[in-house]
Coordinates of all heavy atoms in Angstrom, one line a residue:
M1 N 1.9 -109.4 62.3 CA 1.4 -110.1 63.5 C 0.2 -109.3 64.0 O 0.3 -108.1 64.4 CB 2.5 -110.1 64.5 CG 2.1 -110.8 65.8 SD 3.5 -110.6 67.0 CE 3.5 -108.9 67.4
R2 N -0.9 -110.0 64.1 CA -2.1 -109.4 64.7 C -1.9 -109.3 66.2 O -1.2 -110.1 66.8 CB -3.3 -110.1 64.4 CG -3.6 -110.2 62.9 CD -5.0 -110.7 62.6 NE -5.1 -111.1 61.2 CZ -6.2 -111.3 60.6 NH1 -7.4 -111.2 61.3 NH2 -6.3 -111.7 59.3
R3 N -2.6 -108.3 66.8 CA -2.6 -108.1 68.2 C -4.0 -108.2 68.8 O -4.9 -107.5 68.2 CB -2.0 -106.7 68.5 CG -0.5 -106.6 68.3 CD -0.1 -105.3 67.7 NE 1.3 -105.1 67.5 CZ 2.0 -105.5 66.4 NH1 1.4 -106.0 65.4 NH2 3.3 -105.3 66.4
K4 N -4.1 -109.0 69.8 CA -5.5 -109.3 70.3 C -6.0 -108.1 71.1 O -7.2 -107.9 71.2 CB -5.5 -110.5 71.1 CG -5.3 -111.8 70.3 CD -5.7 -113.0 71.0 CE -5.3 -114.3 70.2 NZ -5.9 -114.3 68.9
R5 N -5.1 -107.4 71.7 CA -5.5 -106.3 72.7 C -6.2 -105.2 72.0 O -5.9 -104.9 70.8 CB -4.3 -105.8 73.5 CG -3.3 -105.0 72.7 CD -2.3 -104.4 73.7 NE -1.3 -103.6 73.0 CZ -1.5 -102.3 72.7 NH1 -2.6 -101.7 73.1 NH2 -0.6 -101.6 72.0
A6 N -7.0 -104.5 72.7 CA -7.6 -103.2 72.2 C -6.5 -102.2 72.1 O -5.5 -102.2 73.0 CB -8.7 -102.7 73.2
P7 N -6.5 -101.3 71.2 CA -7.6 -101.1 70.2 C -7.4 -101.9 68.9 O -8.1 -101.7 68.0 CB -7.4 -99.6 69.9 CG -5.9 -99.3 70.0 CD -5.4 -100.2 71.1
F8 N -6.4 -102.8 68.9 CA -6.2 -103.6 67.7 C -7.3 -104.7 67.4 O -7.7 -104.9 66.3 CB -4.8 -104.3 67.7 CG -3.6 -103.3 67.8 CD1 -3.1 -102.8 69.0 CD2 -3.1 -102.8 66.6 CE1 -2.1 -101.9 69.0 CE2 -2.1 -101.9 66.6 CZ -1.5 -101.5 67.8
N9 N -7.6 -105.3 68.6 CA -8.8 -106.3 68.5 C -8.6 -107.3 67.5 O -9.6 -107.7 66.8 CB -10.1 -105.5 68.4 CG -10.3 -104.6 69.5 OD1 -10.0 -104.9 70.7 ND2 -10.9 -103.4 69.3
D10 N -7.4 -107.8 67.2 CA -7.1 -108.9 66.3 C -7.5 -108.6 64.8 O -7.6 -109.5 64.0 CB -7.9 -110.2 66.8 CG -7.3 -111.5 66.3 OD1 -6.0 -111.5 66.2 OD2 -8.0 -112.5 66.1
K11 N -7.6 -107.3 64.5 CA -7.9 -106.9 63.2 C -6.6 -107.0 62.3 O -5.5 -106.9 62.7 CB -8.3 -105.4 63.1 CG -9.6 -105.2 63.9 CD -10.8 -105.8 63.3 CE -12.1 -105.3 64.0 NZ -13.2 -106.0 63.6
R12 N -6.9 -107.2 61.0 CA -5.8 -107.4 60.0 C -5.3 -106.0 59.6 O -4.1 -105.8 59.5 CB -6.3 -108.2 58.8 CG -5.2 -108.3 57.7 CD -5.6 -109.1 56.6 NE -4.6 -109.1 55.5 CZ -4.6 -109.7 54.4 NH1 -5.7 -110.4 54.1 NH2 -3.7 -109.7 53.5
F13 N -6.2 -105.1 59.2 CA -5.7 -103.8 58.7 C -5.9 -102.7 59.8 O -6.9 -102.6 60.5 CB -6.6 -103.4 57.5 CG -6.3 -104.3 56.3 CD1 -7.1 -105.4 56.0 CD2 -5.2 -104.0 55.5 CE1 -6.8 -106.2 55.0 CE2 -4.8 -104.9 54.5 CZ -5.7 -105.9 54.2
I14 N -4.8 -102.0 60.0 CA -4.7 -101.0 61.1 C -4.3 -99.6 60.4 O -3.2 -99.6 59.8 CB -3.6 -101.4 62.1 CG1 -4.1 -102.7 62.9 CG2 -3.4 -100.2 63.1 CD1 -5.3 -102.5 63.7
G15 N -5.1 -98.6 60.6 CA -4.7 -97.3 60.2 C -4.0 -96.5 61.3 O -4.4 -96.6 62.4
N16 N -3.0 -95.7 60.9 CA -2.4 -94.8 61.8 C -2.9 -93.4 61.4 O -2.6 -92.9 60.4 CB -0.8 -94.9 61.6 CG -0.1 -93.9 62.5 OD1 -0.7 -92.9 63.0 ND2 1.2 -94.1 62.6
T17 N -3.8 -92.9 62.3 CA -4.4 -91.6 62.0 C -3.4 -90.4 62.0 O -3.8 -89.3 61.6 CB -5.6 -91.3 62.9 OG1 -5.2 -91.3 64.3 CG2 -6.7 -92.4 62.7
N18 N -2.2 -90.7 62.6 CA -1.2 -89.6 62.6 C -0.5 -89.5 61.3 O -0.3 -88.4 60.8 CB -0.2 -89.9 63.8 CG 0.6 -88.7 64.1 OD1 0.2 -87.6 64.1 ND2 1.9 -89.0 64.2
S19 N -0.1 -90.7 60.7 CA 0.6 -90.7 59.4 C -0.3 -90.9 58.3 O 0.1 -90.7 57.1 CB 1.6 -91.8 59.4 OG 1.0 -93.1 59.5
N20 N -1.6 -91.2 58.5 CA -2.6 -91.5 57.5 C -2.2 -92.7 56.6 O -2.5 -92.7 55.4 CB -2.9 -90.3 56.6 CG -4.2 -90.4 56.0 OD1 -5.2 -90.7 56.6 ND2 -4.3 -90.1 54.7
E21 N -1.5 -93.7 57.2 CA -1.1 -94.9 56.5 C -1.9 -96.1 57.1 O -2.1 -96.1 58.3 CB 0.4 -95.2 56.7 CG 1.3 -94.3 55.9 CD 2.8 -94.7 56.1 OE1 3.2 -95.2 57.2 OE2 3.5 -94.5 55.1
V22 N -2.1 -97.0 56.2 CA -2.7 -98.3 56.6 C -1.7 -99.4 56.5 O -0.9 -99.5 55.6 CB -4.0 -98.6 55.8 CG1 -3.7 -98.7 54.3 CG2 -4.6 -99.9 56.3
H23 N -1.7 -100.3 57.5 CA -0.8 -101.4 57.6 C -1.6 -102.7 57.5 O -2.7 -102.8 58.0 CB 0.0 -101.4 58.9 CG 0.9 -100.3 59.1 ND1 2.2 -100.2 58.7 CD2 0.6 -99.1 59.7 CE1 2.7 -99.0 59.0 NE2 1.8 -98.3 59.6
D24 N -0.9 -103.7 56.9 CA -1.5 -105.1 56.8 C -0.7 -105.9 57.9 O 0.4 -106.3 57.6 CB -1.3 -105.6 55.4 CG -1.8 -107.1 55.3 OD1 -2.2 -107.7 56.3 OD2 -1.8 -107.6 54.2
L25 N -1.3 -106.2 59.0 CA -0.6 -106.9 60.1 C -0.3 -108.3 59.7 O 0.5 -109.0 60.4 CB -1.4 -106.8 61.4 CG -1.5 -105.3 62.0 CD1 -2.0 -105.4 63.4 CD2 -0.2 -104.6 61.9
D26 N -1.0 -108.9 58.7 CA -0.7 -110.3 58.3 C 0.6 -110.3 57.5 O 1.1 -111.4 57.1 CB -1.9 -110.9 57.5 CG -3.0 -111.3 58.4 OD1 -2.8 -111.2 59.7 OD2 -4.0 -111.8 57.9
N27 N 1.0 -109.1 57.1 CA 2.3 -109.0 56.3 C 3.2 -108.0 56.9 O 4.0 -107.3 56.2 CB 1.9 -108.6 54.8 CG 3.1 -108.7 53.9 OD1 3.8 -109.7 54.0 ND2 3.2 -107.8 53.0
E28 N 3.1 -107.8 58.2 CA 3.9 -106.8 58.9 C 5.4 -107.0 58.6 O 5.9 -108.1 58.6 CB 3.6 -106.9 60.4 CG 4.3 -105.8 61.2 CD 3.9 -105.9 62.7 OE1 2.9 -106.5 63.0 OE2 4.6 -105.3 63.5
D29 N 6.1 -105.9 58.4 CA 7.5 -106.0 58.0 C 8.3 -106.8 59.1 O 8.2 -106.4 60.3 CB 8.1 -104.6 57.9 CG 9.5 -104.6 57.5 OD1 9.8 -104.8 56.3 OD2 10.4 -104.5 58.4
R30 N 9.0 -107.8 58.7 CA 9.6 -108.7 59.7 C 10.8 -108.0 60.4 O 11.3 -108.5 61.4 CB 10.0 -110.0 59.1 CG 11.0 -110.0 58.0 CD 11.0 -111.3 57.2 NE 11.8 -111.2 56.0 CZ 12.9 -111.9 55.7 NH1 13.4 -112.7 56.6 NH2 13.4 -111.7 54.6
Y31 N 11.3 -106.9 59.8 CA 12.4 -106.2 60.5 C 11.9 -105.1 61.4 O 12.7 -104.3 61.9 CB 13.4 -105.7 59.5 CG 14.0 -106.8 58.6 CD1 13.7 -106.9 57.3 CD2 14.9 -107.7 59.2 CE1 14.2 -107.9 56.5 CE2 15.4 -108.7 58.4 CZ 15.0 -108.8 57.1 OH 15.5 -109.9 56.3
G32 N 10.6 -105.0 61.5 CA 10.0 -104.1 62.4 C 9.9 -102.7 61.8 O 9.6 -101.7 62.5
E33 N 10.0 -102.6 60.5 CA 10.0 -101.2 59.9 C 8.6 -100.6 59.8 O 8.5 -99.4 59.5 CB 10.7 -101.2 58.5 CG 12.2 -101.5 58.7 CD 12.9 -101.3 57.4 OE1 12.7 -100.3 56.7 OE2 13.8 -102.1 57.0
C34 N 7.6 -101.4 60.1 CA 6.3 -100.8 60.2 C 6.1 -100.0 61.5 O 5.3 -99.1 61.5 CB 5.2 -101.9 60.1 SG 5.0 -102.6 58.5
N35 N 7.0 -100.3 62.4 CA 6.9 -99.5 63.7 C 5.6 -99.5 64.4 O 5.2 -98.5 65.0 CB 7.4 -98.1 63.5 CG 8.9 -98.0 63.2 OD1 9.7 -98.8 63.9 ND2 9.3 -97.2 62.3
I36 N 4.9 -100.6 64.3 CA 3.5 -100.7 64.9 C 3.6 -100.4 66.4 O 2.7 -99.6 66.9 CB 2.9 -102.1 64.6 CG1 2.8 -102.4 63.1 CG2 1.5 -102.2 65.3 CD1 1.9 -101.5 62.3
P37 N 4.6 -100.9 67.1 CA 4.6 -100.6 68.6 C 4.7 -99.1 68.9 O 4.5 -98.7 70.0 CB 5.8 -101.4 69.1 CG 6.0 -102.5 68.1 CD 5.6 -101.8 66.8
L38 N 5.2 -98.3 67.9 CA 5.3 -96.9 68.2 C 4.1 -96.1 67.9 O 4.0 -94.9 68.2 CB 6.5 -96.3 67.3 CG 7.9 -96.9 67.5 CD1 8.9 -96.2 66.6 CD2 8.3 -96.9 69.0
I39 N 3.1 -96.7 67.3 CA 1.8 -96.0 67.1 C 1.1 -95.9 68.4 O 0.8 -96.8 69.1 CB 0.9 -96.7 66.1 CG1 1.7 -97.0 64.8 CG2 -0.4 -95.9 65.8 CD1 0.9 -97.8 63.8
R40 N 0.7 -94.7 68.8 CA -0.1 -94.5 70.0 C -1.5 -95.1 69.8 O -2.1 -95.0 68.8 CB -0.3 -93.0 70.2 CG 0.9 -92.2 70.6 CD 0.6 -90.8 70.8 NE 1.9 -90.0 70.9 CZ 2.0 -89.0 71.8 NH1 1.0 -88.6 72.5 NH2 3.2 -88.4 71.9
D41 N -1.9 -95.7 70.9 CA -3.3 -96.3 70.8 C -4.3 -95.4 70.3 O -5.2 -95.7 69.6 CB -3.7 -96.9 72.2 CG -3.0 -98.2 72.6 OD1 -2.2 -98.7 71.8 OD2 -3.2 -98.7 73.7
S42 N -4.2 -94.1 70.7 CA -5.2 -93.1 70.3 C -5.1 -92.8 68.8 O -6.0 -92.2 68.3 CB -5.0 -91.8 71.1 OG -3.7 -91.3 70.9
H43 N -4.1 -93.3 68.1 CA -3.9 -93.1 66.7 C -4.2 -94.3 65.9 O -4.1 -94.3 64.7 CB -2.5 -92.6 66.4 CG -2.2 -91.2 66.8 ND1 -0.9 -90.8 67.1 CD2 -3.0 -90.2 67.0 CE1 -1.0 -89.5 67.5 NE2 -2.2 -89.1 67.4
V44 N -4.6 -95.4 66.6 CA -4.9 -96.7 65.9 C -6.4 -96.7 65.4 O -7.3 -96.4 66.2 CB -4.7 -97.9 66.8 CG1 -5.2 -99.2 66.2 CG2 -3.2 -98.0 67.1
K45 N -6.6 -96.9 64.1 CA -7.9 -97.0 63.5 C -8.1 -98.3 62.9 O -7.3 -98.8 62.2 CB -8.0 -95.9 62.4 CG -9.1 -95.9 61.5 CD -10.3 -95.2 62.1 CE -11.4 -95.1 61.1 NZ -12.1 -96.3 60.7
T46 N -9.2 -99.0 63.3 CA -9.6 -100.2 62.6 C -10.7 -99.9 61.6 O -11.3 -98.9 61.6 CB -10.0 -101.3 63.7 OG1 -11.1 -100.8 64.4 CG2 -8.9 -101.7 64.6
F47 N -11.0 -100.9 60.8 CA -11.9 -100.7 59.7 C -13.1 -101.7 59.7 O -12.9 -102.9 60.2 CB -11.2 -100.8 58.4 CG -10.1 -99.8 58.2 CD1 -8.8 -100.2 58.5 CD2 -10.3 -98.5 57.9 CE1 -7.7 -99.3 58.5 CE2 -9.3 -97.6 57.9 CZ -8.0 -98.0 58.1
S48 N -14.2 -101.3 59.3 CA -15.4 -102.2 59.2 C -16.0 -102.0 57.8 O -16.6 -101.0 57.5 CB -16.4 -101.8 60.3 OG -17.4 -102.7 60.3
P49 N -15.9 -103.0 57.0 CA -15.2 -104.3 57.2 C -13.7 -104.2 57.2 O -13.2 -103.1 56.8 CB -15.6 -105.1 55.9 CG -15.8 -104.1 54.9 CD -16.4 -102.9 55.6
D50 N -13.0 -105.2 57.8 CA -11.6 -105.2 58.0 C -10.9 -105.5 56.7 O -10.3 -106.6 56.5 CB -11.3 -106.2 59.1 CG -9.8 -106.2 59.4 OD1 -9.1 -105.2 59.2 OD2 -9.3 -107.3 60.0
T51 N -10.9 -104.6 55.7 CA -10.4 -104.8 54.4 C -9.5 -103.6 53.9 O -9.7 -102.5 54.4 CB -11.5 -105.0 53.3 OG1 -12.2 -103.8 53.2 CG2 -12.4 -106.2 53.7
H52 N -8.6 -103.9 53.0 CA -7.8 -102.9 52.5 C -8.6 -101.9 51.7 O -8.4 -100.7 51.7 CB -6.7 -103.5 51.6 CG -5.8 -102.5 50.9 ND1 -5.6 -102.4 49.6 CD2 -4.9 -101.6 51.5 CE1 -4.8 -101.4 49.3 NE2 -4.3 -100.9 50.5
A53 N -9.6 -102.4 51.0 CA -10.5 -101.6 50.2 C -11.2 -100.5 51.1 O -11.3 -99.4 50.7 CB -11.5 -102.4 49.4
Q54 N -11.6 -101.0 52.3 CA -12.3 -100.0 53.1 C -11.3 -98.9 53.6 O -11.6 -97.8 53.7 CB -12.9 -100.7 54.4 CG -13.6 -99.8 55.3 CD -14.8 -99.2 54.7 OE1 -15.5 -99.7 53.8 NE2 -15.1 -98.0 55.1
A55 N -10.1 -99.3 53.9 CA -9.1 -98.3 54.3 C -8.8 -97.3 53.2 O -8.7 -96.1 53.4 CB -7.7 -99.0 54.7
K56 N -8.8 -97.8 51.9 CA -8.6 -96.9 50.8 C -9.8 -95.9 50.7 O -9.7 -94.7 50.4 CB -8.4 -97.6 49.5 CG -7.2 -98.6 49.5 CD -5.9 -97.9 49.8 CE -5.4 -97.0 48.6 NZ -4.1 -96.4 49.0
R57 N -11.0 -96.5 50.9 CA -12.2 -95.6 50.8 C -12.2 -94.5 51.8 O -12.7 -93.5 51.6 CB -13.5 -96.5 51.0 CG -14.0 -97.2 49.8 CD -15.4 -97.7 50.0 NE -15.5 -98.9 50.8 CZ -15.3 -100.1 50.4 NH1 -15.1 -100.3 49.1 NH2 -15.4 -101.1 51.2
E58 N -11.5 -94.8 53.0 CA -11.4 -93.8 54.0 C -10.2 -92.9 53.9 O -9.9 -92.1 54.8 CB -11.4 -94.5 55.4 CG -12.8 -95.2 55.7 CD -12.9 -95.8 57.1 OE1 -12.3 -95.2 58.0 OE2 -13.7 -96.8 57.2
G59 N -9.5 -93.1 52.7 CA -8.5 -92.1 52.4 C -7.1 -92.4 52.9 O -6.2 -91.6 52.9
F60 N -6.8 -93.6 53.4 CA -5.5 -94.0 53.9 C -4.6 -94.3 52.8 O -5.0 -95.0 51.8 CB -5.6 -95.1 54.9 CG -6.1 -94.7 56.3 CD1 -7.5 -94.5 56.5 CD2 -5.2 -94.4 57.3 CE1 -8.0 -94.1 57.7 CE2 -5.7 -94.0 58.6 CZ -7.1 -93.8 58.8
D61 N -3.3 -94.0 53.0 CA -2.2 -94.3 52.0 C -1.6 -95.7 52.5 O -1.7 -96.0 53.7 CB -1.2 -93.2 52.0 CG -0.1 -93.4 50.9 OD1 -0.4 -94.2 49.9 OD2 0.9 -92.9 51.0
N62 N -1.1 -96.4 51.5 CA -0.5 -97.7 51.9 C 0.8 -97.5 52.6 O 1.6 -96.6 52.2 CB -0.2 -98.5 50.6 CG -1.4 -98.9 49.9 OD1 -2.5 -98.9 50.4 ND2 -1.2 -99.3 48.6
C63 N 1.1 -98.4 53.6 CA 2.4 -98.5 54.1 C 3.3 -99.1 53.1 O 3.0 -100.1 52.4 CB 2.4 -99.4 55.4 SG 4.1 -99.8 56.0
A64 N 4.5 -98.5 52.8 CA 5.4 -99.0 51.8 C 6.0 -100.3 52.1 O 6.4 -101.1 51.2 CB 6.5 -97.9 51.6
K65 N 6.1 -100.6 53.4 CA 6.7 -101.9 53.9 C 5.9 -103.1 53.8 O 6.3 -104.2 53.4 CB 7.3 -101.7 55.3 CG 8.2 -100.6 55.5 CD 9.5 -100.8 54.7 CE 10.4 -99.6 55.0 NZ 11.6 -99.7 54.1
C66 N 4.6 -103.0 54.2 CA 3.8 -104.2 54.3 C 2.8 -104.3 53.2 O 2.2 -105.4 53.0 CB 3.1 -104.3 55.7 SG 2.0 -103.0 56.1
I67 N 2.5 -103.2 52.5 CA 1.5 -103.2 51.4 C 2.2 -102.8 50.1 O 2.0 -103.5 49.1 CB 0.3 -102.3 51.7 CG1 -0.4 -102.8 53.0 CG2 -0.7 -102.3 50.5 CD1 -1.5 -102.0 53.4
G68 N 2.9 -101.7 50.1 CA 3.6 -101.2 48.9 C 2.7 -100.3 48.1 O 1.6 -100.0 48.5
N69 N 3.2 -99.7 47.0 CA 2.5 -98.7 46.2 C 2.1 -97.5 47.1 O 1.0 -97.0 46.9 CB 1.3 -99.3 45.5 CG 1.7 -100.3 44.4 OD1 2.6 -100.0 43.7 ND2 1.0 -101.4 44.3
S70 N 3.0 -97.1 48.0 CA 2.7 -95.9 48.8 C 2.8 -94.7 47.9 O 3.6 -94.6 47.0 CB 3.8 -95.8 49.9 OG 3.6 -94.6 50.5
K71 N 1.9 -93.7 48.1 CA 2.0 -92.5 47.3 C 3.0 -91.5 47.9 O 3.4 -90.5 47.2 CB 0.6 -91.8 47.4 CG -0.5 -92.6 46.8 CD -1.7 -91.8 46.5 CE -2.8 -92.5 45.8 NZ -3.8 -93.1 46.7
H72 N 3.6 -91.8 49.0 CA 4.6 -90.9 49.6 C 6.0 -91.5 49.6 O 6.1 -92.7 49.5 CB 4.2 -90.6 51.1 CG 2.9 -89.8 51.2 ND1 1.8 -90.4 51.7 CD2 2.5 -88.7 50.7 CE1 0.8 -89.5 51.7 NE2 1.2 -88.5 51.0
Ligands
ZN101 ZN1 3.3 -101.5 57.4

């Protein structure tokens, strides 16, 4: 589920700079296991362009719940 408020700004891909994981909010885990509400706003990173490829270029690991193929 995308969030309109800052710092999410309706973006699809959100990086957690604390865990170094990227989440796909269009495929957010329906049981809440992505724990998006627990990410501090100061740890929320958006991408430009708003793509998974850009998140990978910036060195983020996949969330195992909403993207899969996590390295951890
Ligand atoms: Zn996730």
